[in-house]
Amino acid sequence: MKDEKQPFSGSRQRIDKWLFFARMVKSRSLAQLYVQNGSVRVNGERVVQPSYNLKVGDRIELSLERRDIILIVRAAGERRGPFEEAKLLYDDLTPPPSETKHLTPFEQAQRAPGSGRPTKRDRRAIDRLISDDD
């Protein structure tokens, strides 16, 4: 009994384990929550059981808090290893994020004229208008 490790059959694997091994989620229990909440689709169909078995070639659509991920399963995982090892488990088909215009801090601080709180000059002009009407 030199090798206590069980032989690994790479044919099928539970989806919650695979998501954990592929480093898509931080824990297996979090992976189970995503699956149960319907945030995971396999080959276009929603999966609600964490015990669903994935196979090589399956397409996974995962809806996380901040982004949606599309993956193709290349292999089943044996352990949660480093990121470089986890990248070998899938092909990432996620489209790049849309281009957003990055504003400088100065541009962020600028307001359109007339928006926001009135300046002292604006308040005095308003007071003059109100007092003239009386």
Side-chain angles (χ1 to χ4, degrees):
M1 292 222 158
K2 292 180 185 175
D3 191 14
E4 297 290 326
K5 205 173 191 184
Q6 293 179 352
F8 181 72
S9 67
S11 60
R12 291 188 174 259
Q13 187 171 37
R14 287 175 56 115
I15 191 164
D16 59 337
K17 284 179 91 170
W18 190 88
L19 290 171
F20 177 62
F21 290 158
R23 296 187 154 270
M24 293 296 126
V25 291
K26 289 186 177 185
S27 68
R28 216 170 130 192
S29 58
L30 188 58
Q32 290 171 353
L33 283 174
Y34 277 116
V35 172
Q36 290 169 348
N37 290 337
S39 298
V40 180
R41 292 181 172 272
V42 177
N43 298 327
E45 296 183 23
R46 198 173 84 180
V47 176
V48 292
Q49 292 184 338
S51 62
Y52 179 86
N53 285 323
L54 286 176
K55 62 184 181 301
V56 175
D58 281 347
R59 177 186 169 106
I60 299 174
E61 298 171 21
L62 179 63
S63 296
L64 299 175
E65 291 93 15
R66 298 179 186 200
R67 61 188 178 130
D68 293 337
I69 301 172
I70 302 171
L71 308 170
I72 301 291
V73 178
R74 287 176 53 189
E78 294 183 38
R79 68 185 187 108
R80 183 177 168 93
F83 177 70
E84 295 301 321
E85 187 178 311
K87 282 194 323 188
L88 301 175
L89 299 179
Y90 59 87
D91 288 327
D92 192 357
L93 301 178
T94 307
S98 61
E99 290 294 321
T100 57
K101 183 180 176 191
H102 295 287
L103 300 175
T104 65
F106 178 74
E107 291 172 332
Q108 290 175 357
Q110 295 296 313
R111 283 190 292 211
S115 67
R117 292 179 58 182
T119 62
K120 186 173 184 179
R121 181 179 179 187
D122 295 336
R123 286 194 312 270
R124 294 215 171 131
I126 292 170
D127 290 341
R128 267 189 260 118
L129 286 173
I130 293 172
S131 64
D132 290 344
D133 290 340
D134 291 337

